[in-house]
Amino acid sequence: MRTDSKIHEWRIEPREYARQEDRRGRRHAYESLDPVRTVLVVIDMVPFFAEANPYVRGVVPNIGRIAEALRTAGGLVAWVLPANEPPLASVSSEFYGPTVSEVFSSTGGEGPLRSRLWHAFDVRPDDLVVEKTAYSAFFPGRSVLPGLLAERDINTVIITGALTNVCCESSARDAATTGLRVLMVADGNAARRDQDHNAALLTIYRSFGDVRATDEVLDLIRKRTGPAQPAQ
Protein backbone atom coordinates (compact mmCIF):
# COMPACT_ATOMS: atom_id res chain seq x y z
CA MET A 1 0.00 0.00 0.00
CA ARG A 2 1.47 3.34 -1.05
CA THR A 3 1.96 6.00 1.63
CA ASP A 4 4.09 8.64 -0.15
CA SER A 5 2.25 11.73 -1.28
CA LYS A 6 2.58 15.08 -3.03
CA ILE A 7 0.71 18.39 -3.23
CA HIS A 8 0.58 20.30 -6.50
CA GLU A 9 2.49 23.55 -6.93
CA TRP A 10 -0.68 25.40 -7.76
CA ARG A 11 -1.12 28.99 -8.85
CA ILE A 12 -3.50 31.43 -10.44
CA GLU A 13 -1.64 33.93 -12.58
CA PRO A 14 -1.56 37.48 -11.17
CA ARG A 15 -3.05 38.84 -14.40
CA GLU A 16 -6.09 36.60 -13.90
CA TYR A 17 -6.56 37.81 -10.34
CA ALA A 18 -6.29 41.37 -11.70
CA ARG A 19 -8.89 40.65 -14.39
CA GLN A 20 -11.43 39.44 -11.86
CA GLU A 21 -10.67 42.27 -9.44
CA ASP A 22 -11.34 44.73 -12.25
CA ARG A 23 -14.60 42.99 -13.19
CA ARG A 24 -16.21 42.59 -9.79
CA GLY A 25 -14.13 44.74 -7.45
CA ARG A 26 -12.72 41.82 -5.45
CA ARG A 27 -10.48 38.83 -5.99
CA HIS A 28 -12.87 36.12 -4.87
CA ALA A 29 -16.41 35.67 -6.07
CA TYR A 30 -17.75 34.17 -2.83
CA GLU A 31 -16.60 35.90 0.33
CA SER A 32 -18.93 34.09 2.72
CA LEU A 33 -20.95 30.92 2.92
CA ASP A 34 -23.70 29.45 5.05
CA PRO A 35 -22.32 26.12 6.31
CA VAL A 36 -25.80 24.63 6.72
CA ARG A 37 -26.43 25.18 3.00
CA THR A 38 -22.99 23.99 1.93
CA VAL A 39 -21.79 20.56 0.80
CA LEU A 40 -18.26 19.23 0.47
CA VAL A 41 -18.27 17.01 -2.61
CA VAL A 42 -15.43 14.47 -2.63
CA ILE A 43 -15.02 12.94 -6.07
CA ASP A 44 -13.51 9.55 -6.99
CA MET A 45 -11.24 9.13 -3.96
CA VAL A 46 -11.02 5.38 -4.44
CA PRO A 47 -8.05 2.98 -4.40
CA PHE A 48 -7.84 2.86 -8.20
CA PHE A 49 -6.74 6.51 -8.28
CA ALA A 50 -5.09 6.85 -4.85
CA GLU A 51 -2.77 3.88 -5.25
CA ALA A 52 -1.52 5.09 -8.61
CA ASN A 53 -1.08 8.79 -7.97
CA PRO A 54 0.86 10.48 -5.13
CA TYR A 55 -1.02 13.72 -5.73
CA VAL A 56 -4.31 11.95 -4.98
CA ARG A 57 -2.89 10.61 -1.73
CA GLY A 58 -1.53 14.05 -0.95
CA VAL A 59 -4.92 15.76 -0.77
CA VAL A 60 -6.43 13.26 1.66
CA PRO A 61 -5.55 15.23 4.84
CA ASN A 62 -6.93 18.50 3.45
CA ILE A 63 -10.18 16.85 2.42
CA GLY A 64 -10.46 15.38 5.89
CA ARG A 65 -9.93 18.77 7.54
CA ILE A 66 -12.63 20.40 5.47
CA ALA A 67 -15.04 17.52 6.07
CA GLU A 68 -14.60 17.72 9.82
CA ALA A 69 -14.99 21.51 9.95
CA LEU A 70 -18.06 21.52 7.74
CA ARG A 71 -19.80 18.76 9.71
CA THR A 72 -19.08 20.62 12.95
CA ALA A 73 -20.66 23.76 11.47
CA GLY A 74 -23.79 21.87 10.41
CA GLY A 75 -22.89 21.27 6.77
CA LEU A 76 -22.97 18.17 4.59
CA VAL A 77 -20.30 15.86 3.17
CA ALA A 78 -20.98 13.87 0.00
CA TRP A 79 -18.68 11.13 -1.26
CA VAL A 80 -19.08 10.43 -4.98
CA LEU A 81 -17.73 7.22 -6.49
CA PRO A 82 -17.45 6.12 -10.11
CA ALA A 83 -20.06 3.54 -10.98
CA ASN A 84 -18.82 0.40 -12.69
CA GLU A 85 -20.06 1.51 -16.08
CA PRO A 86 -18.32 3.02 -19.12
CA PRO A 87 -17.88 6.75 -18.43
CA LEU A 88 -18.82 7.74 -21.97
CA ALA A 89 -21.69 5.27 -22.22
CA SER A 90 -22.06 3.63 -25.64
CA VAL A 91 -19.09 5.42 -27.21
CA SER A 92 -16.54 4.53 -24.51
CA SER A 93 -15.17 1.50 -26.32
CA GLU A 94 -14.85 3.38 -29.60
CA PHE A 95 -13.26 6.41 -27.94
CA TYR A 96 -10.81 4.69 -25.57
CA GLY A 97 -10.45 1.31 -27.21
CA PRO A 98 -12.01 -1.78 -25.65
CA THR A 99 -9.20 -2.56 -23.18
CA VAL A 100 -8.97 0.89 -21.61
CA SER A 101 -12.75 1.26 -21.66
CA GLU A 102 -13.03 -1.95 -19.67
CA VAL A 103 -10.48 -0.68 -17.14
CA PHE A 104 -12.36 2.60 -16.73
CA SER A 105 -15.57 0.63 -16.23
CA SER A 106 -14.21 -0.95 -13.06
CA THR A 107 -12.52 1.98 -11.29
CA GLY A 108 -15.17 2.11 -8.56
CA GLY A 109 -14.24 -1.23 -7.08
CA GLU A 110 -16.51 -3.89 -5.62
CA GLY A 111 -18.63 -4.18 -2.50
CA PRO A 112 -20.76 -1.72 -0.51
CA LEU A 113 -20.22 1.91 -1.52
CA ARG A 114 -18.67 3.04 1.76
CA SER A 115 -16.16 0.21 1.67
CA ARG A 116 -14.92 1.34 -1.76
CA LEU A 117 -13.52 4.65 -0.56
CA TRP A 118 -9.82 5.13 0.13
CA HIS A 119 -9.09 3.65 3.55
CA ALA A 120 -7.70 6.84 5.12
CA PHE A 121 -11.04 8.68 5.19
CA ASP A 122 -13.38 8.96 8.15
CA VAL A 123 -16.80 8.50 6.57
CA ARG A 124 -19.65 9.28 8.95
CA PRO A 125 -23.17 7.80 9.02
CA ASP A 126 -24.79 11.12 8.10
CA ASP A 127 -22.57 11.62 5.05
CA LEU A 128 -23.99 10.97 1.60
CA VAL A 129 -22.30 8.24 -0.45
CA VAL A 130 -23.45 8.03 -4.06
CA GLU A 131 -22.30 6.87 -7.48
CA LYS A 132 -22.07 8.68 -10.79
CA THR A 133 -22.22 7.10 -14.23
CA ALA A 134 -20.44 9.95 -16.03
CA TYR A 135 -17.42 12.11 -15.37
CA SER A 136 -19.61 14.83 -13.86
CA ALA A 137 -21.55 14.26 -10.63
CA PHE A 138 -23.96 17.02 -11.68
CA PHE A 139 -24.85 16.01 -15.23
CA PRO A 140 -28.62 15.38 -15.45
CA GLY A 141 -29.58 11.75 -15.04
CA ARG A 142 -26.08 10.49 -14.24
CA SER A 143 -26.15 10.74 -10.42
CA VAL A 144 -28.74 11.14 -7.67
CA LEU A 145 -26.54 13.78 -6.01
CA PRO A 146 -28.18 16.92 -7.48
CA GLY A 147 -31.62 15.82 -6.31
CA LEU A 148 -30.39 15.01 -2.81
CA LEU A 149 -28.74 18.41 -2.54
CA ALA A 150 -31.87 20.20 -3.77
CA GLU A 151 -33.91 18.44 -1.09
CA ARG A 152 -31.52 19.85 1.52
CA ASP A 153 -31.62 23.38 0.10
CA ILE A 154 -27.88 23.34 -0.64
CA ASN A 155 -26.62 26.36 -2.54
CA THR A 156 -22.82 26.11 -2.19
CA VAL A 157 -20.61 23.27 -3.43
CA ILE A 158 -16.99 22.76 -2.35
CA ILE A 159 -15.28 20.52 -4.92
CA THR A 160 -12.41 18.19 -3.99
CA GLY A 161 -11.03 14.90 -5.28
CA ALA A 162 -9.62 13.38 -8.45
CA LEU A 163 -8.84 14.11 -11.14
CA THR A 164 -8.82 17.91 -11.11
CA ASN A 165 -9.06 18.29 -14.86
CA VAL A 166 -11.51 15.46 -15.54
CA CYS A 167 -14.25 14.53 -13.07
CA CYS A 168 -13.68 17.44 -10.68
CA GLU A 169 -13.64 20.10 -13.37
CA SER A 170 -16.61 18.49 -15.13
CA SER A 171 -18.58 18.46 -11.89
CA ALA A 172 -17.66 22.05 -11.06
CA ARG A 173 -18.76 23.27 -14.51
CA ASP A 174 -22.11 21.49 -14.35
CA ALA A 175 -22.78 22.54 -10.76
CA ALA A 176 -22.18 26.16 -11.70
CA THR A 177 -24.41 25.83 -14.74
CA THR A 178 -27.29 24.74 -12.50
CA GLY A 179 -26.88 27.89 -10.41
CA LEU A 180 -24.86 26.56 -7.49
CA ARG A 181 -22.04 28.57 -5.93
CA VAL A 182 -18.85 26.60 -6.64
CA LEU A 183 -15.58 26.65 -4.69
CA MET A 184 -12.74 24.55 -6.06
CA VAL A 185 -10.12 23.67 -3.43
CA ALA A 186 -6.72 24.27 -4.99
CA ASP A 187 -4.87 21.94 -2.60
CA GLY A 188 -7.79 19.55 -2.24
CA ASN A 189 -7.86 18.35 -5.84
CA ALA A 190 -5.33 16.19 -7.65
CA ALA A 191 -4.32 15.64 -11.27
CA ARG A 192 -1.39 13.81 -12.81
CA ARG A 193 0.78 16.90 -13.37
CA ASP A 194 0.95 20.47 -12.09
CA GLN A 195 0.26 21.72 -15.62
CA ASP A 196 -3.00 19.80 -15.86
CA HIS A 197 -4.06 20.83 -12.37
CA ASN A 198 -3.36 24.53 -12.88
CA ALA A 199 -5.05 24.67 -16.28
CA ALA A 200 -8.23 23.32 -14.71
CA LEU A 201 -8.05 25.74 -11.78
CA LEU A 202 -7.67 28.65 -14.18
CA THR A 203 -10.72 27.59 -16.19
CA ILE A 204 -12.86 27.29 -13.07
CA TYR A 205 -11.66 30.59 -11.63
CA ARG A 206 -12.25 32.47 -14.89
CA SER A 207 -15.70 31.18 -15.73
CA PHE A 208 -17.37 28.84 -13.25
CA GLY A 209 -16.46 29.36 -9.61
CA ASP A 210 -13.94 30.39 -7.02
CA VAL A 211 -10.58 28.80 -6.29
CA ARG A 212 -9.40 28.72 -2.70
CA ALA A 213 -6.79 26.97 -0.59
CA THR A 214 -7.87 24.65 2.21
CA ASP A 215 -7.04 27.15 4.95
CA GLU A 216 -9.17 29.80 3.24
CA VAL A 217 -12.09 27.40 2.94
CA LEU A 218 -11.78 26.58 6.64
CA ASP A 219 -11.85 30.29 7.45
CA LEU A 220 -15.05 30.72 5.43
CA ILE A 221 -16.69 27.80 7.22
CA ARG A 222 -15.72 29.00 10.68
CA LYS A 223 -16.50 32.68 10.17
CA ARG A 224 -20.17 32.23 9.32
CA THR A 225 -20.24 35.91 8.42
CA GLY A 226 -22.80 37.65 6.27
CA PRO A 227 -26.46 36.89 5.67
CA ALA A 228 -27.58 33.51 4.43
CA GLN A 229 -27.47 33.29 0.67
CA PRO A 230 -30.80 33.29 -1.19
CA ALA A 231 -32.14 30.03 -2.58
CA GLN A 232 -31.23 29.31 -6.17
Side-chain angles (χ1 to χ4, degrees):
M1 186 175 297
R2 303 292 300 276
T3 58
D4 57 313
S5 62
K6 295 181 180 180
I7 292 288
H8 287 293
E9 293 290 337
W10 73 273
R11 68 189 297 268
I12 301 292
E13 293 185 9
R15 66 179 180 178
E16 193 56 43
Y17 281 136
R19 183 204 304 266
Q20 296 297 347
E21 289 164 358
D22 183 60
R23 286 177 173 177
R24 61 188 174 220
R26 60 189 186 278
R27 174 165 294 190
H28 293 290
Y30 306 123
E31 297 185 307
S32 66
L33 58 79
D34 179 358
V36 176
R37 301 187 64 197
T38 298
V39 61
L40 170 66
V41 177
V42 186
I43 296 174
D44 289 359
M45 293 297 288
V46 295
F48 180 88
F49 296 108
E51 289 172 352
N53 188 337
Y55 290 112
V56 176
R57 298 190 293 277
V59 300
V60 169
N62 285 341
I63 293 173
R65 292 169 63 203
I66 297 172
E68 182 61 27
L70 189 57
R71 290 191 197 101
T72 299
L76 181 66
V77 178
W79 307 87
V80 182
L81 293 81
N84 289 323
E85 299 182 19
L88 296 180
S90 62
V91 302
S92 283
S93 182
E94 181 181 9
F95 185 82
Y96 292 114
T99 300
V100 173
S101 179
E102 183 64 26
V103 170
F104 284 177
S105 298
S106 60
T107 57
E110 300 293 337
L113 292 183
R114 289 171 184 261
S115 72
R116 299 184 195 177
L117 289 160
W118 183 240
H119 66 89
F121 288 116
D122 178 18
V123 184
R124 304 289 179 82
D126 290 338
D127 295 348
L128 298 179
V129 184
V130 302
E131 288 183 308
K132 58 179 176 61
T133 60
Y135 288 133
S136 170
F138 289 87
F139 193 85
R142 305 304 290 270
S143 174
V144 299
L145 182 64
L148 295 175
L149 300 185
E151 290 173 1
R152 290 161 172 79
D153 200 26
I154 297 296
N155 74 344
T156 300
V157 176
I158 301 171
I159 299 286
T160 60
L163 294 171
T164 316
N165 57 321
V166 185
C167 293
C168 299
E169 181 178 351
S170 298
S171 297
R173 287 170 175 254
D174 286 344
T177 301
T178 67
L180 291 164
R181 307 162 82 237
V182 172
L183 282 79
M184 194 92 163
V185 184
D187 52 357
N189 285 271
R192 297 190 184 281
R193 307 181 305 165
D194 288 346
Q195 301 97 307
D196 303 333
H197 182 73
N198 287 328
L201 295 185
L202 175 62
T203 296
I204 297 303
Y205 181 75
R206 289 190 66 172
S207 302
F208 297 98
D210 213 343
V211 173
R212 297 272 196 157
T214 295
D215 286 343
E216 293 177 296
V217 174
L218 293 174
D219 286 343
L220 289 174
I221 292 170
R222 291 164 179 161
K223 279 195 311 184
R224 306 193 199 191
T225 57
Q229 298 296 323
Q232 300 292 340

